[in-house]
Amino acid sequence: QVQVVESGGGLVQAGGSLRLTCAASGSRFSIGRMAWYRQAPGNQRELVAAITRAGNTNYEDSVKGRFTISRDVAKNTLYLQMDSLKPEDTAVYYCNAEAYYWGSYSHTGWGQGTQVTVSS
């Protein structure tokens, strides 16, 4: 199985910035699409941003222009730069990574989540 570990969450005031990092590991697998999801209390988990191995990105509408997703393919590391944070961005942020074995999709690994809290 691919292991996924997030870091970088914390408490920040509205208007501030945070950078999340996600490391995926698993020597037998190559990593395809990677993504950030978030889940606020009482809400369903939602996609925040995703990036393919080729660098194609997509964002949830409410974060466009404020969040930037990027990755280091060689290091299987994913980033989420979050600027102009709002209290409604408060949630647990999860990273996932699609694992491929000999070119075929194997499974999707999920991290344990990192808390982001934005105070007003």
Side-chain angles (χ1 to χ4, degrees), residues 4-47:
V4 179
V5 179
E6 306 99 336
S7 61
L11 173 65
V12 65
Q13 289 188 332
S17 297
L18 281 176
R19 189 191 197 207
L20 305 183
T21 300
C22 167
S25 61
S27 59
R28 297 190 303 156
F29 302 98
S30 62
I31 304 299
R33 174 185 177 273
M34 299 183 77
W36 290 100
Y37 287 75
R38 66 186 178 186
Q39 187 168 18
N43 291 357
Q44 291 187 334
R45 191 172 296 188
E46 64 175 1
L47 176 67

Side-chain angles (χ1 to χ4, degrees), residues 7-9 11 14 25 30 32 40 50 58-59 68 71 88 102 107 109 113-114:
S7 61
L11 173 65
S25 61
S30 62
N58 66 283
Y59 295 90
T68 303
R71 68 187 288 177
E88 51 264 43
W102 286 100
H107 64 280
T114 186

Side-chain angles (χ1 to χ4, degrees), residues 6 53 108-109 115-116:
E6 306 99 336
R53 192 174 177 90
T108 297
Q115 177 70 46
V116 172

Side-chain angles (χ1 to χ4, degrees), residues 53-119:
R53 192 174 177 90
N56 298 309
T57 60
N58 66 283
Y59 295 90
E60 193 268 329
D61 285 346
S62 70
V63 308
K64 287 179 180 178
R66 300 188 299 120
F67 291 10
T68 303
I69 190 171
S70 61
R71 68 187 288 177
D72 184 327
V73 173
K75 295 181 179 179
N76 287 331
T77 302
L78 179 70
Y79 306 97
L80 185 68
Q81 177 66 41
M82 304 185 294
D83 299 318
S84 302
L85 281 160
K86 303 175 180 180
E88 51 264 43
D89 295 318
T90 295
V92 178
Y93 283 70
Y94 298 90
C95 170
N96 81 7
E98 292 182 347
Y100 288 77
Y101 184 69
W102 286 100
S104 295
Y105 173 77
S106 173
H107 64 280
T108 297
W110 286 87
Q112 79 290 348
T114 186
Q115 177 70 46
V116 172
T117 303
V118 184
S119 63

